[in-house]
Amino acid sequence: MKRFYLFGFLLLMAFDTLSQVSFKYAGSQALPVAASMAWLARVFGQPWVYGALIGYIGAFFTWMSLLKHAPIGPAFAASHLEVVSVMLLSIWLFDEPLTLPRVLGASAIVAGIVCLGLAESHQHDVDAQPGAAAS
Amino acid sequence: MPAADPISSLVAVLWLFNVVLDTAGQLAFKAAAGNPDAGDGLARWKHMATRPWLWLGITCYVGEFLVWIAFLSLVPLSEGVLLGSINIVAIMIAGRFLFGEKLTRLRVIGILLVTLGVTIVGVAG
């Protein structure tokens, strides 16, 4: 069961990272933003939006399989560790500087996510005693 | 940051839309997936497909998809994903009220830390 969660969350993180990077490329190529058909045509007229779609769909099926057993809040939190992989990739792909507020903000957010993950494992120690794990 | 700047107000509106759509979508998926009578495997998917929750969740996600593309095209990606982390806070508070999920002390600390991080990036990022 533990391995199932670990593999599931890593897969979710990979799909989420693919989506975020693709979203950024898709959005940048569709500027300027407008609530118009022209903007939608620009968004769907280049390949990156489909990378985002693949990441979304992959994350969706991974997520629905995980949610069957995991409580929503902590599972959602665990899935959000992608902020770290996306931040690191952004330096390389988009030349985004690692500013002090971003590092401080990311540290607080990751610390918060770790707390939520710990809260989850405590909850699991309480919940998942004999016979609870079906798969 | 001057409130009159049209780009930053658009960013704020898109950020808010994203939180609302993401939270509503996640709650709908939880309602769809958490039904213990739904069975397993293909039967479970068939059960979910005939009920509104799954489709409500998908509708929210389609809206969020477009809102998020627009949002990220206006802010740096690293900043965007950090600001988007506020969804964690919104979903946990909503889960507390709608599904009775417990807010233990550790979860409250986690929520406060995430909120602090988003605030730092939002104000100074």
Side-chain angles (χ1 to χ4, degrees), chain A residues 19-21 23-24 26-28 30-31 33 39-40 43-44 49-50 52-53 56 60-61 63-65 67-74 76-77 80 82-83 86-87 90 94 96-106 108-116 118-120 122-123, chain B residues 10 14 22 26-27 29-30 32-34 39-41 44-45 48 54 58 61-62 64-79 81-85 87-89 91-92 95 99 101-102 104 106-111 113-118 120-121 124-125:
Chain A
S19 280
Q20 299 305 337
V21 169
F23 275 131
K24 179 65 183 171
S28 306
L31 285 169
V33 173
W39 180 74
L40 282 178
V43 166
F44 289 98
V49 73
Y50 302 101
L53 211 54
Y56 236 46
F60 169 76
F61 283 101
W63 175 248
M64 289 304 269
S65 308
L67 258 200
K68 194 178 175 191
H69 301 289
I72 186 169
F76 183 80
H80 261 64
E82 102 234 11
V83 293
V86 171
M87 258 186 95
S90 301
F94 304 107
E96 292 180 7
L98 211 54
T99 62
L100 186 63
R102 281 178 201 165
V103 172
L104 287 177
I109 289 167
V110 168
I113 289 170
V114 168
C115 284
L116 297 172
L118 285 174
E120 178 194 25
H122 286 192
Q123 198 65 29
Chain B
L10 181 58
L14 291 169
D22 190 72
Q26 291 290 346
L27 292 173
F29 283 140
K30 177 61 182 174
D40 271 302
R44 177 168 172 253
W45 282 102
M48 288 195 290
L54 182 73
I58 289 173
Y61 262 36
V62 170
E64 189 192 351
F65 187 88
L66 296 173
V67 165
W68 190 244
I69 288 178
F71 176 74
L72 281 187
S73 68
L74 301 175
V75 298
L77 180 60
S78 46
E79 210 175 299
V81 292
L82 293 175
L83 292 174
S85 299
N87 290 1
I88 298 172
V89 173
I91 200 79
M92 292 203 86
F99 295 101
E101 291 177 0
K102 288 200 182 82
T104 58
L106 207 49
R107 284 188 187 159
V108 171
I109 293 171
I111 285 172
L113 281 169
V114 172
T115 307
L116 173 71
V118 171
I120 292 172
V121 176

Side-chain angles (χ1 to χ4, degrees), chain A residues 11 17 22 32 37 59 62 134:
Chain A
L11 194 63
T17 306
S22 304
M37 290 308 289
T62 313

